[in-house]
Structure formats: structure tokens, C-alpha cells
Amino acid sequence: MLLRYLTFLKIVNEEFSDMVVNIELHPDRIRLILTDKSWVDIRYPVEDKFSFHWQRSEKIYRIDTAPHHRNIKTYPRHIHLGSENNIVEDNVTEGGKSPEDNFRRFMLWVRNTLQND
């Protein structure tokens, strides 16, 4: 897991340093502090289980693989869009992609959202 997180940090430094102002490495996650003072927690303990949680003031945006919401077409991947209770299909990450690819896709989604708000 630590090696994966170090790879994520390399991606942040090389591709997303324009939007990340601080990085905290915790035993179970990485926290990224963004330019707008929002933050992202990244948990990716094993290849096909992850959580990308973006906290913006009172709104949350989380893409995860928790095994609930079986009615979602992208199950187990789903997005909590703005709140815990607003669950939608995951059109950001992709099953079968590497953790690095899915992390990159998530960060691009965050960047696009920041730029369009």
C-alpha cells in the first residue's frame, strides 16, 4: 500500500501540483489540500477497493467501491455526488484500470470541477 501511495504522490507532483498545496501521508490514506482549501482523502488498500473522498465545505464527492448500492449499473463503483445520500453511477473511474489510472482520472475530474465552478 505504501508503494502505491508513493506512486500517487509522484503523480500529484508531476501532474497536479497546480491544484495541490499540501500533502499529508497517513498510515491508511493520503490527504491532499487543494488550492480552494478543500481536501481529498485517498484510500486504496488493495487493487480493486478504493475510496476517493473530496470534501468541499459542506459538500462531499466520494467515489468508492463499498459493496452497497447494488442497483447502480457500475456496482460496486459509485459516486456520492454532493452528499452521502445522492448516489449516482461512477462515470469517472473504470473497472479493470490500474490504481494509478483511476487516481489520475479522479484528479482530472476534480480539476475540471474546480475550473468549471
Side-chain angles (χ1 to χ4, degrees), residues 2-19:
L2 181 59
L3 183 57
R4 175 174 296 128
Y5 287 171
L6 292 174
T7 302
F8 289 168
L9 294 179
K10 183 175 189 271
I11 292 169
V12 167
N13 286 326
E14 292 177 355
E15 301 175 33
F16 300 101
S17 62
D18 61 310
M19 57 188 256

Side-chain angles (χ1 to χ4, degrees), residues 21 23 29-30 32 42 48 57 59 75 93 100 102 117:
V21 296
I23 299 168
R29 72 187 186 285
I30 297 171
L32 307 175
I42 301 141
D48 60 346
S57 298
K59 293 190 175 185
Y75 174 83
T93 68
E100 295 77 18
N102 278 331
D117 277 357

Side-chain angles (χ1 to χ4, degrees), residues 55-60 82-83:
Q55 187 81 37
R56 293 185 82 192
S57 298
E58 299 301 315
K59 293 190 175 185
I60 66 151
S83 73

Side-chain angles (χ1 to χ4, degrees), residues 4-111:
R4 175 174 296 128
Y5 287 171
L6 292 174
T7 302
F8 289 168
L9 294 179
K10 183 175 189 271
I11 292 169
V12 167
N13 286 326
E14 292 177 355
E15 301 175 33
F16 300 101
S17 62
D18 61 310
M19 57 188 256
V20 176
V21 296
N22 196 19
I23 299 168
E24 299 172 6
L25 187 56
H26 297 266
D28 64 337
R29 72 187 186 285
I30 297 171
R31 175 164 286 178
L32 307 175
I33 309 299
L34 306 184
T35 54
D36 71 340
K37 305 220 182 337
S38 65
W39 51 268
V40 171
D41 274 353
I42 301 141
R43 288 180 169 90
Y44 220 123
V46 295
E47 194 76 19
D48 60 346
K49 298 200 183 310
F50 60 85
S51 171
F52 300 129
H53 178 97
W54 181 20
Q55 187 81 37
R56 293 185 82 192
S57 298
E58 299 301 315
K59 293 190 175 185
I60 66 151
Y61 303 89
R62 185 173 61 248
I63 302 174
D64 67 63
T65 57
H68 47 261
H69 308 296
R70 293 182 186 272
N71 59 320
I72 299 290
K73 191 186 317 184
T74 57
Y75 174 83
R77 297 180 352 269
H78 58 276
I79 301 176
H80 299 261
L81 193 60
S83 73
E84 286 289 340
N85 297 324
N86 186 29
I87 312 300
V88 299
E89 293 177 3
D90 175 8
N91 60 354
V92 176
T93 68
E94 191 174 324
K97 293 289 184 180
S98 71
E100 295 77 18
D101 284 342
N102 278 331
F103 173 67
R104 193 174 277 114
R105 292 163 76 94
F106 172 77
M107 291 300 290
L108 287 169
W109 179 70
V110 169
R111 176 184 280 150

